Amino acid sequence: MTTSTSAPPVASFVSYPGREPGPEYTQSAVPLDRLLGCSRAHARLLGLAAGVDDVTARRASLLPGWTVGHLIAHLARNADSHTGILGAAAEGRAEDQYPGGRAQREAGVEAGAGQPAQQLVADLTDAVHRLEQAWDGTHVDVWRGGLGRTLTLGATSLADLVFLRWREVEVHLVDLGLKDLGGPGWEDLSPAYVEAEWAWSTRRLPDRVPADVTILLTPGDRPSLTAGRGPRVVRVDIPTRETLRWLSGRAEGDPAWPSLAPWT
């Protein structure tokens, strides 16, 4: 495997932190920064999941109606959905993330949620490894032109799909609600993910704002920005992480703030 034909193995960037993208990072068709961020989130996820026993797997997560087991099963099936997209893209096809639609997604979660913890964690581990191996084996030309289709965004580039997987892992690590096992809270989101998510979410925010509203985000730890074109200006004056928590629908926010269209 060479960098001219496929992505450098994700593990090589995890093993040598000095190689991580920084000020000297040169952009390429292979989304190395996103692959690195997601692989590190995978490592945190698998480390946390290793401490889950049968009792913990049946606990309620922070997502209404889902247990810890539901979330672990979802993260496994989501990984497989990305692996499937990569395989199809290598054959020149744009595959649906879940060919059976929402019904397939929900059925996969329900089928796995009640398994013993050991099976749940083994399934997740195998799914993550399959995905990272698929990333490592993807040709640079596939990274350049390949597409998949998600339920909410439709046709999506492979690089953006890596970001969406990264988001899935970072946010659901918090949603697991396993602080007693050393799991993260919202304040523990990785800085690299926060930067990527801020860029992604604020770029899409104008489409989520009611027509009569302009939102002014003033986090204080980064430049302020506006979204929307309405005459009513609403200031959201909270730090970056708390802003992202509200944008994700995981915090109610001030009652004076507008209701937003779904997070995508």
Side-chain angles (χ1 to χ4, degrees):
M1 183 186 304
T2 67
T3 55
S4 64
T5 59
S6 60
V10 172
S12 70
F13 285 88
V14 175
S15 300
Y16 302 100
R19 295 180 63 182
E20 67 184 274
E24 312 82 23
Y25 174 60
T26 301
Q27 294 286 350
S28 74
V30 181
L32 298 176
D33 50 349
R34 297 178 179 188
L35 290 166
L36 173 64
C38 192
S39 66
R40 287 180 168 172
H42 278 159
R44 291 194 298 274
L45 172 64
L46 296 181
L48 182 60
V52 172
D53 58 19
D54 288 342
V55 173
T56 305
R58 306 287 86 80
R59 271 170 40 177
S61 74
L62 300 184
L63 290 184
W66 274 23
T67 65
V68 170
H70 280 91
L71 264 176
I72 292 175
H74 166 62
L75 285 163
R77 298 291 72 77
N78 178 267
D80 283 342
S81 74
H82 284 263
T83 302
I85 284 174
L86 288 166
E91 298 172 356
R93 296 182 290 110
E95 180 73 83
D96 288 337
Q97 184 174 10
Y98 298 98
R102 293 189 184 278
Q104 178 189 341
R105 177 182 177 274
E106 292 169 4
V109 172
E110 289 298 332
Q115 293 183 86
Q118 186 174 8
Q119 289 178 236
L120 269 170
V121 174
D123 180 33
L124 174 64
T125 301
D126 290 346
V128 165
H129 290 167
R130 284 192 294 270
L131 175 55
E132 293 194 350
Q133 288 169 2
W135 283 338
D136 288 349
T138 298
H139 193 285
V140 66
D141 289 343
V142 178
W143 282 115
R144 288 182 65 191
L147 293 172
R149 288 192 297 269
T150 75
L151 290 170
T152 55
L153 297 177
T156 305
S157 73
L158 297 187
D160 281 348
L161 284 164
V162 175
F163 167 77
L164 292 173
R165 173 61 185 179
W166 187 9
R167 167 196 274 181
E168 203 80 14
V169 179
E170 290 270 1
V171 173
H172 285 331
L173 268 166
V174 177
D175 291 335
L176 284 166
L178 297 179
K179 278 196 168 185
D180 57 320
L181 298 182
W186 200 262
E187 67 279 5
D188 301 312
L189 294 173
S190 72
Y193 168 69
V194 169
E195 292 302 314
E197 184 61 68
W198 183 262
W200 180 281
S201 284
T202 56
R203 188 165 63 249
R204 285 158 177 76
L205 184 55
D207 294 334
R208 303 178 60 197
V209 177
D212 65 331
V213 171
T214 294
I215 288 181
L216 171 61
L217 300 181
T218 58
D221 52 359
R222 65 185 59 240
S224 303
L225 60 85
T226 57
R229 301 182 65 181
R232 182 165 69 93
V233 177
V234 178
R235 181 176 177 179
V236 176
D237 188 28
I238 52 177
T240 294
R241 279 176 167 79
E242 286 305 305
T243 301
L244 292 176
R245 188 175 185 181
W246 175 62
L247 293 176
S248 74
R250 285 162 171 80
E252 292 184 4
D254 191 302
W257 298 347
S259 297
L260 302 176
W263 193 47
T264 58

